[in-house]
Amino acid sequence: MPGIAAPVPAHDATRAYLGLWVTDDGYVRHALLPDGRYVEARGNREAAYRGRYAVNGDRVDYVDDTGFVGYGEFIDGALHHAGMVLRRRAEAAGGPQRDVR
């Protein structure tokens, strides 16, 4: 996949999407980090998946540390990935946290 081979410093387009993205039920949480890495939390597993990502326009391409690849699209302020819709949330200190309402 072009542009995903190595982490790259965040540029202006990427910076717009940095931070914590969470499903409405709080179960899946993607932290897009400024160093081109991401951490995906699921349920009580705060680091279920880790890897690198690259943003190209409104598309984000993922490669996890095991080599699995995926992508998502930012549409109307939400991240659409693998049939899920994630919305930006304030990130608590220490990384991705379960969204408790």
Side-chain angles (χ1 to χ4, degrees), residues 16-31:
Y17 298 124
L18 293 178
L20 186 63
W21 297 83
V22 182
T23 55
D24 287 340
D25 63 4
Y27 186 78
V28 176
R29 289 130 10 240
H30 285 197

Side-chain angles (χ1 to χ4, degrees), residues 9 15 25 38-39 42 47-48 59 69 71 74 77 79 83 92 95:
R15 265 191 213 103
D25 63 4
Y38 75 91
V39 178
R42 287 186 177 240
R59 178 183 165 118
V69 298
Y71 75 94
F74 296 97
L79 170 56

Side-chain angles (χ1 to χ4, degrees), residues 87-98:
R87 301 179 199 291
R88 190 189 300 266
R89 293 281 162 72
E91 189 170 350
Q97 301 292 317
R98 186 174 192 107

Side-chain angles (χ1 to χ4, degrees), residues 14-93:
T14 301
R15 265 191 213 103
Y17 298 124
L18 293 178
L20 186 63
W21 297 83
V22 182
T23 55
D24 287 340
D25 63 4
Y27 186 78
V28 176
R29 289 130 10 240
H30 285 197
L32 300 181
L33 307 173
D35 63 356
R37 300 280 299 168
Y38 75 91
V39 178
E40 179 179 320
R42 287 186 177 240
N44 293 327
R45 294 183 61 203
E46 292 302 324
Y49 302 98
R50 294 176 186 263
R52 60 191 189 276
Y53 74 93
V55 174
N56 184 10
D58 289 331
R59 178 183 165 118
V60 58
D61 291 296
Y62 299 98
V63 177
D64 82 11
D65 290 342
T66 67
F68 180 81
V69 298
Y71 75 94
E73 292 183 281
F74 296 97
I75 302 169
D76 295 328
L79 170 56
H80 295 253
H81 169 71
M84 297 177 284
V85 176
L86 297 95
R87 301 179 199 291
R88 190 189 300 266
R89 293 281 162 72
E91 189 170 350

